[in-house]
């Protein structure tokens, strides 16, 4: 079974395995209704103990190779800013789902695009995945923009697929194939 490195340094962020010590920060970040507004799996208000359970499951899934959930840490500050993951990993089919969220005070700085590019590189090169997919609410323009900047293509719209905020919401499906993803700089040495 292939696995990811415990941590990977990018230009401004470090992607690293979530730790028990991240529980308080995760709890504080996702207790912001604007952070979880366009998620389907994070409840609001976030329950006491929810972050501890999330981290335990993330660590168990990592060991089993079912999901790789990474903290997005600002290199200069050493501060956890959000979470990014590859989950639903099918080694047989070579695919996984990308998911992410970022604390509100870190929005608009390009951090999520950097983190997403980093985890895509890990997914395609280290895990040898063929396809990575993601979904976003049609009205979640920020997440859609991150996916587009990373080379994802819209694969379809699930009309009124999710009931959220007392209304049926459209869900946009995105995907990217390994052959569509640019090779890393390590492979482009001149």
């Amino acid at each position: 079974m292939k696995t990811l490195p415990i941590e990977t340094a990018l230009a401004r962020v470090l992607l690293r395995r979530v730790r028990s010590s991240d529980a308080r920060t995760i709890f504080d970040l996702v207790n912001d209704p604007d952070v979880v507004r366009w998620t389907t799996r994070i409840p609001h208000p976030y329950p006491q103990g929810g972050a501890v359970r999330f981290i335990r499951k993330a660590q168990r899934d990592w060991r089993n190779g079912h999901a790789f959930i990474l903290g997005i840490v600002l290199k200069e500050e050493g501060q956890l800013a959000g979470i990014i993951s590859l989950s639903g990993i099918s080694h047989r089919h070579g695919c996984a789902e990308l998911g992410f969220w970022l604390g509100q005070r870190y929005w608009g700085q390009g951090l999520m695009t950097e983190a997403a590019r980093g985890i895509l590189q890990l997914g395609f090169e280290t895990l040898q995945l063929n396809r990575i997919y993601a979904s976003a609410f049609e009205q979640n323009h920020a997440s859609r923009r991150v996916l587009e900047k990373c080379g994802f293509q819209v694969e379809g719209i699930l009309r009124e697929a999710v009931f959220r905020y007392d209304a049926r919401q459209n869900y946009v499906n995105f995907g990217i194939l390994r052959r569509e993803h640019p090779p890393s700089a390590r492979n482009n040495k001149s």
Side-chain angles (χ1 to χ4, degrees), residues 59-84:
Q59 292 170 341
R60 189 171 50 252
D61 286 348
W62 187 293
R63 283 190 303 273
N64 296 332
H66 298 155
F68 297 102
I69 299 170
L70 300 162
I72 302 168
V73 178
L74 303 177
K75 283 170 69 173
E76 286 187 17
E77 300 173 22
Q79 181 67 36
L80 180 76
I83 298 291
I84 193 161

Side-chain angles (χ1 to χ4, degrees), residues 5-138:
I6 300 293
E7 62 181 46
T8 300
L10 304 173
R12 296 176 297 154
V13 299
L14 179 72
L15 302 181
R16 66 153 172 80
R17 194 171 170 180
V18 291
R19 304 172 181 155
S20 298
S21 59
D22 294 328
R24 183 75 223 176
T25 303
I26 290 171
F27 179 82
D28 291 343
L29 291 172
V30 296
N31 246 341
D32 180 341
D34 289 329
V35 170
V36 299
R37 180 177 183 191
W38 298 117
T39 68
T40 57
R41 297 180 186 141
I42 303 173
H44 185 79
Y46 199 64
Q48 288 291 333
V52 171
R53 287 188 295 279
F54 167 77
I55 291 166
R56 285 184 186 147
K57 182 177 183 332
Q59 292 170 341
R60 189 171 50 252
D61 286 348
W62 187 293
R63 283 190 303 273
N64 296 332
H66 298 155
F68 297 102
I69 299 170
L70 300 162
I72 302 168
V73 178
L74 303 177
K75 283 170 69 173
E76 286 187 17
E77 300 173 22
Q79 181 67 36
L80 180 76
I83 298 291
I84 193 161
S85 65
L86 290 175
S87 62
I89 296 171
S90 170
H91 298 285
R92 178 178 182 208
H93 298 294
C95 61
E97 180 178 12
L98 173 67
F100 53 81
W101 61 263
L102 194 64
Q104 187 172 7
R105 67 180 167 263
Y106 307 108
W107 293 358
Q109 301 173 43
L111 299 172
M112 187 54 74
T113 301
E114 180 179 331
R117 286 177 175 149
I119 203 167
L120 287 175
Q121 204 73 46
L122 292 169
F124 288 128
E125 292 185 8
T126 305
L127 298 178
Q128 292 295 298
L129 296 173
N130 182 58
R131 178 176 184 274
I132 297 176
Y133 58 94
S135 299
F137 284 99
E138 190 171 44

Side-chain angles (χ1 to χ4, degrees), residues 135-177:
S135 299
F137 284 99
E138 190 171 44
Q139 295 177 341
N140 185 348
H141 301 290
S143 291
R144 291 178 61 185
R145 186 70 186 123
V146 166
L147 296 170
E148 291 163 358
K149 285 180 184 178
C150 291
F152 279 80
Q153 296 179 29
V154 173
E155 295 183 331
I157 297 175
L158 300 177
R159 298 176 306 136
E160 299 184 3
V162 179
F163 189 78
R164 186 84 164 168
Y165 309 112
D166 299 322
R168 301 248 174 239
Q169 305 287 334
N170 292 346
Y171 221 39
V172 182
N173 288 335
F174 292 84
I176 186 170
L177 302 176

